[in-house]
Amino acid sequence: MAKQNDTPQLASIAPTRYENIFDVYQTTDGNNYFYYNLSKRVNLEIGSIDPEFLDYYICNGEQPLTTISYRVYNTIDLWWLIVSLNQLNPIQNVPAGTALAFIKPEYIDGVLQIVNS
């Protein structure tokens, strides 16, 4: 069991990708396929985070989470962090006027280190 970036046979992925939280396994049936154990997830609660680390984004129109992630973090990869923090449905667009909490960009590297460990 290892992370994708620790598995030489697989391509490296950015540290912001959701896949980094999962361990990678390899089948033993002779096909040597790689797969993730998807039972792990990130569960953040706004009340447990110091308000100094948070800011808010208000949707000026219905938006997909990847767009919000790009506007807040300059990458579409951190949609999952916004979902977890705000208890959102990850397959629905966010309605106009919704205020979303997000972790300030200057704290993201530290959060990712904690989440991925």
Side-chain angles (χ1 to χ4, degrees), residues 65 79 83 88-93:
L65 289 157
W79 61 268
V83 164
L88 300 173
N89 181 334
I91 60 171
Q92 293 181 335
N93 287 343

Side-chain angles (χ1 to χ4, degrees), residues 29-103:
D29 61 1
N31 291 318
N32 295 321
Y33 293 117
F34 290 93
Y35 63 96
Y36 295 115
N37 177 352
L38 299 178
S39 63
K40 187 176 179 183
R41 63 182 227 189
V42 176
N43 196 13
L44 298 173
E45 294 182 21
I46 293 174
S48 66
I49 299 174
D50 186 330
E52 177 186 329
F53 295 98
L54 298 175
D55 207 346
Y56 291 85
Y57 174 86
I58 299 177
C59 297
N60 59 2
E62 183 177 293
Q63 297 175 9
L65 289 157
T66 51
T67 298
I68 296 166
S69 175
Y70 188 79
R71 290 185 176 160
V72 171
Y73 297 118
N74 208 29
T75 177
I76 65 171
D77 293 344
L78 290 171
W79 61 268
W80 57 271
L81 197 56
I82 296 166
V83 164
S84 179
L85 193 58
N86 293 279
Q87 306 301 308
L88 300 173
N89 181 334
I91 60 171
Q92 293 181 335
N93 287 343
V94 180
T98 303
L100 297 173
F102 66 92
I103 296 171

